[in-house]
Amino acid sequence: MSILSPTRKSGHGPIGTFLEAEAQQSVAYTIFNARQRRLLTFLLGLTTIISPLTANIYFPLLPLLAYRLNTSAQAINVSITIYIIFQALSPAIFATLSDSLGRRIVYLITLSLYVLSNLSLALAQNNYVALLVLRAIQSLGASAASAISYGVVADVCVPAERGSMVGPISMALNLGTCIGPVIGGLVAYRSANYGWIFWFLVLVGVGLLAAVAGFLPETARNVVGNGSLEATRWWEHTWMTPLRSGIIRIWHGNRDVWTTVPRSRHLTEKGNHSRRDENAVVAKRKLKIINPLHCLRILFLKEAAPILLVHGFSYMIDFSIQTSIPLAFTDLYHFNELEVGLSYLPRGAGIIVGGYANGKFMDWNYKVTAKQIGHTIDREHGDDMKEFPIERARTRGSPYLVGILTCSVIGYGWALDQHGHVAIALLLQFVQGVFQSSIYVFSNTLLIDILPDTPSTAAATASITRCALAALGTATVQPLIGALGRGWYFTLLGLFTGVSSLLAIWIIRARGMSWRTRRAAKKAPSQVPRVASSDKSRLRTDGKSSLAKKNEDSDPT
């Protein structure tokens, strides 16, 4: 397997020569060790907090915003719908870009955009149009982090161990879901100035920007391969690189703190061309073919569509419940703003528990499936997905998850409809959080498993799907509750999403692998690296030189 597999299908010139040579070798999938992956998991968890934090900190502010802007609750809900729409667009643009240019530069761009939008929101209060426009920009800056983080996981982790990274990242991601409403409710309860929320988000954004700039290494496989290739462009280096280099040079010699081998090992052994020339070729070529609409093509892949539906329906349930909480708990239980914010805690706690537990559960399912088919897991080079039923491994036990989630949604609706004790509603929110998060994690991970060449683009496609369905749920929840009542609304929502998800899971397990392998077989011939005519003579010369050297080394005389 080539360490630069994302670029294999369009390799030209020196890059093509390099890929063709590397494709003949058996190299480790990644040189990032367990300690380095734990640090990456921590950094990725921090960056993914901002999207759910920014979305959920807003919900307890809805009554205050309607009062301060002198408008209706439905008009304020438009700002939520706009946020969700751009939550879908952001990964389609930036996650696709991260698959092309690298993870670091896209993180730096989006976090800078996030800081500037929150600063503008803090300064431009009591303006409804400004709120809508700036919430869109805020969403653009915040919403790509999750998709990019899944790309980093695919960069540095073999499929058999991805749950160990995805689980904690999901846990950290949903910490924002948990604490966001509490912070928003506290501000709404103690102050009539919602601008404090945006000043708080400015500080969060600046802190995350500093953490990424200072410590997050470049991991994109079309930039640094399995981690052994040296990054040369300025944005590919952490801001701590000069200080680290001096210390490492003194104590450890010419080694990078992130790796256990010299970064330039593969290139110095071949000695054919400079890494800087390679990067120039890659950047020039990839910039020509960046196409965010590639996400839409993934939507229509037979093996991806049912996964996306399962993923999107779980998010639709989540946002429909979130949007309904402020009005329901204010009307039925007479909660104030702070209490409304605190009522999101059980759901947030459930999401954290579900995300972490399901990460462990996915790795266990992988081992069980491998044992059932007599497969030996390759933790160094990664398993060949053409021969492994990853669909069966990831969806193992998922019908039970969907069934319990469906029952909890229906029960939640009737608990509110019949004015049941608030503890019942909060307990069912916890159950929903556990099982919705579990479905979210396994479906997103399965998607990057079946589309390993463009993992962030695959995660971006999942974002488009879930945000489209979440926007539909958010826009219709209050009108449908008004027409049907809470009990029948959540009953219909649970049955529709539950039955549809079960059907999609059956399709994934029955046909997913055959569709995936058939597509891979059609695509395989086009993935052979092509060599530009200007490099053919050099390739022949290099090949003859290598052969001559091999014969010389093997000559007993």
Side-chain angles (χ1 to χ4, degrees), residues 474-530:
T474 301
T476 59
V477 58
Q478 293 302 340
L480 288 178
I481 286 177
L484 301 173
R486 292 184 176 90
W488 283 112
Y489 167 73
F490 283 108
T491 297
L492 293 177
L493 177 66
L495 289 176
F496 172 72
T497 56
V499 172
S500 300
S501 296
L502 289 174
L503 178 61
I505 289 171
W506 178 80
I507 293 173
I508 293 167
R509 293 179 66 86
R511 303 298 302 276
M513 184 175 180
S514 63
W515 286 338
R516 171 170 55 85
T517 53
R518 196 177 307 158
R519 178 176 63 87
K522 292 179 180 178
K523 185 179 178 182
S526 65
Q527 287 187 334
V528 178
R530 293 176 295 170

Side-chain angles (χ1 to χ4, degrees), residues 426-456:
L426 295 177
L427 177 61
L428 289 171
Q429 279 190 39
F430 175 81
V431 175
Q432 291 156 12
V434 171
F435 291 95
Q436 179 270 331
S437 177
S438 298
I439 295 169
Y440 177 96
V441 170
F442 90 71
S443 56
N444 219 358
T445 306
L446 176 57
L447 196 64
I448 65 173
D449 286 332
I450 69 169
L451 297 165
D453 289 350
T454 54
S456 286

Side-chain angles (χ1 to χ4, degrees), residues 1-8 13-31 221 224-230 263-273 275 278 381 527 529 531 539 542 546:
M1 174 183 176
S2 169
I3 61 173
L4 296 181
S5 56
T7 60
R8 287 177 63 187
I15 289 292
T17 307
F18 178 77
L19 292 175
E20 191 169 49
E22 287 292 316
Q24 305 304 318
Q25 298 184 8
S26 177
V27 296
Y29 184 86
T30 179
I31 64 169
R221 297 179 73 82
V224 295
N226 67 349
S228 62
L229 298 181
E230 183 180 5
R263 276 294 188 93
S264 58
R265 180 190 64 186
H266 290 274
L267 294 180
T268 54
E269 287 178 356
K270 298 184 186 307
N272 287 334
H273 50 273
R275 177 62 180 164
E278 281 190 356
H381 305 99
Q527 287 187 334
V531 182
L539 180 59
D542 292 340
S546 300

Side-chain angles (χ1 to χ4, degrees), residues 136-258:
I137 300 173
Q138 182 192 51
S139 182
L140 278 176
S143 303
S146 178
I148 300 171
S149 71
Y150 273 90
V152 175
V153 171
D155 292 337
V156 304
C157 212
V158 296
E161 299 177 347
R162 283 176 185 166
S164 63
M165 284 191 72
V166 169
I169 289 172
S170 176
M171 182 178 170
L173 182 153
N174 289 298
L175 181 62
T177 304
C178 190
I179 65 175
V182 177
I183 297 171
L186 181 62
V187 169
Y189 179 70
R190 298 293 299 270
S191 171
N193 183 8
Y194 62 84
W196 288 111
I197 289 294
F198 300 117
W199 284 115
F200 169 74
L201 294 178
V202 168
L203 294 177
V204 171
V206 170
L208 292 176
L209 183 60
V212 168
F215 300 102
L216 185 71
E218 182 58 71
T219 65
R221 297 179 73 82
N222 64 329
V223 177
V224 295
N226 67 349
S228 62
L229 298 181
E230 183 180 5
T232 58
R233 292 173 291 193
W234 66 267
W235 63 76
E236 295 167 359
H237 292 284
T238 65
W239 291 359
M240 297 296 291
T241 297
L243 177 61
R244 287 206 319 252
S245 297
I247 296 174
I248 293 165
R249 194 172 292 114
I250 295 172
W251 292 98
H252 301 289
N254 189 23
R255 289 176 180 268
D256 192 302
V257 71
W258 280 94

Side-chain angles (χ1 to χ4, degrees), residues 527-549:
Q527 287 187 334
V528 178
R530 293 176 295 170
V531 182
S533 58
S534 60
D535 295 306
K536 288 181 179 178
S537 60
R538 190 172 108 189
L539 180 59
R540 286 194 296 268
T541 302
D542 292 340
K544 291 177 181 177
S545 300
S546 300
L547 182 59
K549 187 178 186 303

Side-chain angles (χ1 to χ4, degrees), residues 373-385:
I373 64 174
H375 175 82
T376 301
I377 298 175
D378 186 348
R379 299 185 183 279
E380 182 180 0
H381 305 99
D383 295 313
D384 185 353
M385 290 296 103

Side-chain angles (χ1 to χ4, degrees), residues 257-431:
V257 71
W258 280 94
T259 65
T260 57
V261 297
R263 276 294 188 93
S264 58
R265 180 190 64 186
H266 290 274
L267 294 180
T268 54
E269 287 178 356
K270 298 184 186 307
N272 287 334
H273 50 273
S274 71
R275 177 62 180 164
R276 187 174 300 278
D277 292 339
E278 281 190 356
N279 280 340
V281 175
V282 172
K284 183 177 180 180
R285 185 180 72 245
K286 298 299 284 186
L287 281 170
K288 290 181 179 179
I289 63 173
I290 289 172
N291 181 11
L293 296 181
H294 179 61
C295 296
L296 300 181
R297 291 199 290 271
I298 295 177
L299 284 171
F300 295 101
L301 291 178
K302 289 187 292 185
E303 64 270 33
I307 302 171
L308 291 168
L309 285 178
V310 174
H311 184 77
F313 283 140
S314 70
Y315 208 67
M316 181 181 186
I317 290 173
D318 189 48
F319 252 78
S320 297
I321 291 173
Q322 287 184 73
T323 306
S324 68
I325 285 175
L327 188 58
F329 279 64
T330 301
D331 290 348
L332 300 178
Y333 304 113
H334 309 293
F335 277 18
N336 59 37
E337 291 87 348
L338 178 59
E339 290 168 334
V340 167
L342 291 172
S343 69
Y344 283 85
L345 281 176
R347 169 186 159 274
I351 288 175
I352 291 174
V353 171
Y356 180 78
N358 197 60
K360 300 291 186 181
F361 190 55
M362 281 196 304
D363 285 351
W364 184 72
N365 279 340
Y366 194 102
K367 294 177 185 177
V368 171
T369 303
K371 185 176 180 180
Q372 288 175 344
I373 64 174
H375 175 82
T376 301
I377 298 175
D378 186 348
R379 299 185 183 279
E380 182 180 0
H381 305 99
D383 295 313
D384 185 353
M385 290 296 103
K386 294 193 293 293
E387 301 175 358
F388 188 83
I390 191 66
E391 292 82 1
R392 280 175 50 192
R394 297 300 189 214
T395 59
R396 189 172 181 272
S398 58
Y400 299 106
L401 303 179
V402 173
I404 296 173
L405 177 62
T406 299
C407 292
S408 68
V409 171
I410 295 173
Y412 176 77
W414 287 107
L416 295 180
D417 190 82
Q418 299 300 313
H419 293 199
H421 194 280
V422 66
I424 299 175
L426 295 177
L427 177 61
L428 289 171
Q429 279 190 39
F430 175 81
V431 175

